[in-house]
Amino acid sequence: MNTLDPNLSTRQHIETQLNWRYATKLFDPQKKIDPADLHTLMESVRLSASSFGLQPWSFVLAQSEEMKAKLALAAPMNKSKFETASHIMVLANKKTLTPEYVDSYVQLISDTRGVPVQALQDFRAIMVNKTQAMSPEALAQWTARQTYIAMGSLMTTAALLGIDTCAMEGIDTAQFDDILGLSQTGHGTLAAVALGYRSKEDSLQFAKKVRFASDKILKMV
Ligand SMILES: Cc1cc2nc3c(=O)[nH]c(=O)nc-3n(C[C@H](O)[C@H](O)[C@H](O)COP(=O)(O)O)c2cc1C
């Protein structure tokens, strides 16, 4: 695990960890993420931002060797990560978003914040109009974009905790849906993130980061 230096300021710590993170190809299979860190990682996706707060996603955390091996068969390109990572987080986006789902969210706001459902009807109408006006393809793209925000949040949180990750789109999403029973819930697999601790054998950890300079991609105005 990366040694987190107590003498670093928060800002230094964040930049150090953002540079430390890399797309890990091979994990140390002996090292498992402890329950407290797992809890924080799960909170990082649950607390992620989404349009209207609708949370159009679901997540599956694969932890058993049996399940990881099953998923590996549906991700030959990324086999080494499935075989060595401590955990695999599968991120799925909603394929349909019904008025009933919006109602369940409105009810949750009401219960959580003590606001009468009646007072939330204008907000409900905006959400229903927006989601019902989209084609199924546009809706799936919209929910996918939001699910990717959760993915980014997961990877950054992991890096801050000294946990390695590899984002993976190179998976057979239809097979993942079957294995995890996601289609029945109205979700579809989008991508997966391998989580664990880098193996000493993974030479990529020593390679320099390849990034365009700030002035090429960012403008202050
Ligand atoms: C959405 C997404 C999908 C990716 N899919 C894969 C993948 O299937 N397999 C893999 O080895 N790396 C995958 N990567 C990792 C990228 O190749 C990597 O992030 C990029 O080369 C930059 O390197 P760095 O993350 O080490 O800085 C993916 C990254 C992202 C953000």
Side-chain angles (χ1 to χ4, degrees), residues 27-203:
F27 294 82
D28 181 340
Q30 307 305 326
K31 293 189 185 162
K32 301 292 174 203
I33 301 172
D34 74 38
D37 279 345
L38 273 182
H39 177 262
T40 302
L41 293 172
M42 290 190 278
E43 285 295 89
S44 76
V45 291
R46 192 179 72 89
L47 296 171
S48 187
S50 59
S51 183
F52 300 123
L54 272 167
Q55 306 155 64
W57 50 48
S58 79
F59 308 99
V60 183
L61 188 63
Q63 54 183 353
S64 74
E65 296 309 319
E66 193 192 352
M67 181 51 82
K68 284 185 282 177
K70 224 186 243 184
L71 294 174
L73 294 174
M77 196 183 116
N78 283 301
K79 196 164 166 264
S80 64
K81 294 107 179 179
F82 284 82
E83 287 174 346
T84 58
S86 170
H87 289 73
I88 304 286
M89 181 74 88
V90 179
L91 300 100
N93 61 313
K94 262 190 164 303
K95 298 289 183 174
T96 55
L97 210 156
T98 61
E100 290 73 31
Y101 178 80
V102 174
D103 283 335
S104 71
Y105 174 52
V106 167
Q107 189 62 54
L108 181 64
I109 301 174
S110 168
D111 295 343
T112 307
R113 295 187 170 162
V115 182
V117 167
Q118 205 46 45
L120 297 164
Q121 288 311 301
D122 288 352
F123 184 43
R124 176 193 183 275
I126 292 168
M127 291 188 282
V128 170
N129 290 343
K130 162 106 183 163
T131 50
Q132 296 312 109
M134 281 188 255
S135 68
E137 294 75 26
L139 181 93
Q141 283 185 16
W142 185 66
T143 59
R145 287 200 291 276
Q146 295 168 63
T147 308
Y148 275 110
I149 296 173
M151 187 183 196
S153 178
L154 172 67
M155 293 173 67
T156 302
T157 302
L160 293 177
L161 291 171
I163 294 169
D164 285 298
T165 54
C166 185
M168 298 177 291
E169 280 185 320
I171 61 176
D172 185 326
T173 54
Q175 279 193 53
F176 269 52
D177 289 349
D178 285 345
I179 296 167
L180 301 171
L182 282 165
S183 313
Q184 297 92 296
T185 70
H187 295 84
T189 301
L190 193 61
V193 177
L195 297 145
Y197 299 96
R198 64 189 65 178
S199 160
K200 289 190 180 72
E201 311 297 317
D202 188 2
S203 56

Side-chain angles (χ1 to χ4, degrees), residues 1-6 8 13 16-17 20 162:
M1 200 203 301
N2 177 34
T3 313
L4 306 178
D5 185 343
L8 292 183
H13 172 65
T16 299
Q17 293 312 106
W20 173 84

